Each structure stands twice: as structure tokens, then as C-alpha cells.
Amino acid sequence: MNDSVNILVVEDDEDINRLLCDIIVKNGFIPKAAYSGTEALIHLEIQNWDLVLLDLMLPGLSGEELLNKITEETNIPVMIISAKLEMKTKIDILRSGADDYITKPFDIEEVSARIESCLRRYRRIAKIGVNNQIRHKDLLIDMDSKKVSVNEIELKLTAIEYEILCLLLSSPNKVFTKANLFESVWHEEFYGDDNTINVHMSNIRSKLTKANPTEEYIETIWGMGYRLKT
């Protein structure tokens, strides 16, 4: 997995940027430092990236603005590393399309593990079988192109949203608990943090509803979890 993995580090503090780059190098990946949102945007336009580590408080183009541009125009996974501790900020950023959120000060081993985990999710999505499609009602997932459409309208999903939807469609009659979803998608033990799952499920439902307001695709089985609505 470590061959030619390029990670863009967007952090204006030189010491923190250098530390994050050192972590990436020790994991066997290739980092590129950017010290402002504007500089990061240039790198995003001229090169393909496997992951972006993004601070929110940046000079020039803000982290939030840069995150919006990345999620609107690409499917590059984004990991936020920020000193903003408020739960509302975390939820808003996850709703905006971030794949993970780590607060400062951070633990080096945790950052290293989360980078590996995020890359595993992203790489697994990229390797899904060729010429394979899954359909549910007017919802279509093309696993070859990794495109999702509803009512022939293409949806812009994050890597995690895509994987959650694939998981649900892979077993249309199964009720997935939050622990099932978290451990299947994040490949980490679930400790009862409902916010992460709730935010991503809310994002998916919102995008599905926007594409076809008259149809319901995912139902909540109270006290149990989620499944596709038949």
C-alpha cells in the first residue's frame, strides 16, 4: 500500500507541519508541505493526492473553504487536524465532507494510525471490481467508476459516504447496527460515539433526498440500526 502515496499537509505552523511530514515519511509515504490554503490549492491543481491533512485556521483561503473546494471537485479523503475543540465545529466539518477530525495537541501514534486507516478505506474503494454495478430503486452505484447516481443525477459523496452506501446495498435486507457500520468502514473498535455515524448517515440521506425528494432509501430501525428501505 505504501508505493507512491502522496499526502498534502496544509498547516501554517512550521513546527507542526514538519512534525506531520516526519510522521508521513516514517509511515513510508511522500509528504508535501503547504503553509496556506492558497498554496495548497495550487498543489491540488497540478498534482494528484491520496490524502490531505488540513488545518482549519489558515492564512488566505481558510481550511473550511479549501475543504469545500476539495469535496466539491474531487474524492480525495481529507483528515482535519485542528485546535478547534467545539463539538459543533467537528460536526459541521464532518457534514462538509471531512473523513476524520483530530484535535491538537495530538498523539503521534494516533495520527499515524488514522492516516493508515484512512488510506486503507480509500484504497479499498479504488480497488472495487471492474464493470460492476449495484442498483436499489433508482439508486445506482457504478463500482468501476465509483460514481453514484439517483434518478440519473450524479451525487457527490465523500469516500466514507460512498463506502457506507456500498455496505448497505451489499446486504439490502440486513439491519446494520452503528457498531457494524463503524467497524466495517473505519476498521476500528466502536466505543459508542454515535456522532460520527449520525453525521455521515445524515449527509447521505440529505444528498439522496435532494436528488429524489419523493423516495426514501434508508430507514432507521429504532434501537437497532439502519437498513435499505424496500
Side-chain angles (χ1 to χ4, degrees):
M1 187 179 80
N2 295 15
D3 294 339
S4 302
V5 174
N6 295 285
I7 301 177
L8 182 61
V9 181
V10 191
E11 165 64 65
D12 62 322
D13 185 295
E14 292 187 11
D15 291 335
I16 296 176
N17 197 313
R18 188 181 305 110
L19 176 59
L20 291 171
C21 287
D22 287 344
I23 294 170
I24 291 167
V25 169
K26 288 178 181 177
N27 279 21
F29 307 134
I30 303 170
K32 177 65 179 180
Y35 298 95
S36 71
T38 306
E39 182 185 357
L41 193 58
I42 294 172
H43 291 304
L44 287 163
E45 291 173 349
I46 64 176
Q47 183 175 339
N48 293 324
W49 300 96
D50 296 283
L51 176 65
V52 176
L53 303 189
L54 178 61
D55 184 24
L56 295 179
M57 294 180 284
L58 297 169
L61 191 70
S62 72
E64 289 89 347
E65 290 170 325
L66 185 59
L67 173 64
N68 288 336
K69 290 188 70 67
I70 294 172
T71 55
E72 286 173 3
E73 300 173 8
T74 76
N75 64 345
I76 303 170
V78 180
M79 180 184 298
I80 302 298
I81 300 181
S82 174
K84 292 185 176 182
L85 304 177
E86 299 83 2
M87 181 58 67
K88 183 179 185 305
T89 298
K90 295 180 183 180
I91 291 173
D92 287 345
I93 291 299
L94 289 170
R95 286 190 186 281
S96 297
D99 292 89
D100 204 349
Y101 194 114
I102 299 176
T103 55
K104 300 174 184 174
F106 51 78
D107 179 83
I108 291 175
E109 291 301 319
E110 180 184 4
V111 172
S112 176
R114 287 183 179 271
I115 288 173
E116 290 274 6
S117 178
C118 192
L119 287 170
R120 277 198 303 272
R121 291 195 300 268
Y122 184 65
R123 286 300 181 86
R124 187 169 59 255
I125 290 169
K127 292 178 181 177
I128 290 175
V130 177
N131 297 325
N132 193 12
Q133 294 183 340
I134 305 177
R135 184 182 294 274
H136 175 68
K137 299 181 179 179
D138 60 353
L139 166 61
L140 177 66
I141 299 180
D142 187 323
M143 292 183 165
D144 183 18
S145 63
K146 301 187 293 296
K147 291 183 178 179
V148 179
S149 62
V150 168
N151 198 25
E152 299 185 351
I153 299 171
E154 185 177 342
L155 306 184
K156 292 290 187 181
L157 300 180
T158 67
I160 284 185
E161 291 166 3
Y162 176 89
E163 189 158 352
I164 290 173
L165 205 52
C166 284
L167 186 64
L168 291 172
L169 266 70
S170 69
S171 300
N173 297 316
K174 178 177 178 178
V175 176
F176 288 89
T177 66
K178 291 180 179 180
N180 289 153
L181 289 171
F182 189 88
E183 291 172 4
S184 296
V185 174
W186 278 264
H187 293 274
E188 299 174 10
E189 188 172 351
F190 182 68
Y191 292 106
D193 180 11
D194 290 349
N195 280 326
T196 299
I197 296 296
N198 291 343
V199 167
H200 287 294
M201 290 300 297
S202 175
N203 286 348
I204 293 169
R205 280 173 156 161
S206 176
K207 292 175 182 180
L208 292 171
T209 300
K210 185 175 180 181
N212 187 352
T214 65
E215 189 60 86
E216 187 177 354
Y217 302 90
I218 301 170
E219 63 178 339
T220 300
I221 309 300
W222 296 109
M224 298 177 66
Y226 304 95
R227 73 178 174 196
L228 289 184
K229 186 174 180 62
T230 57

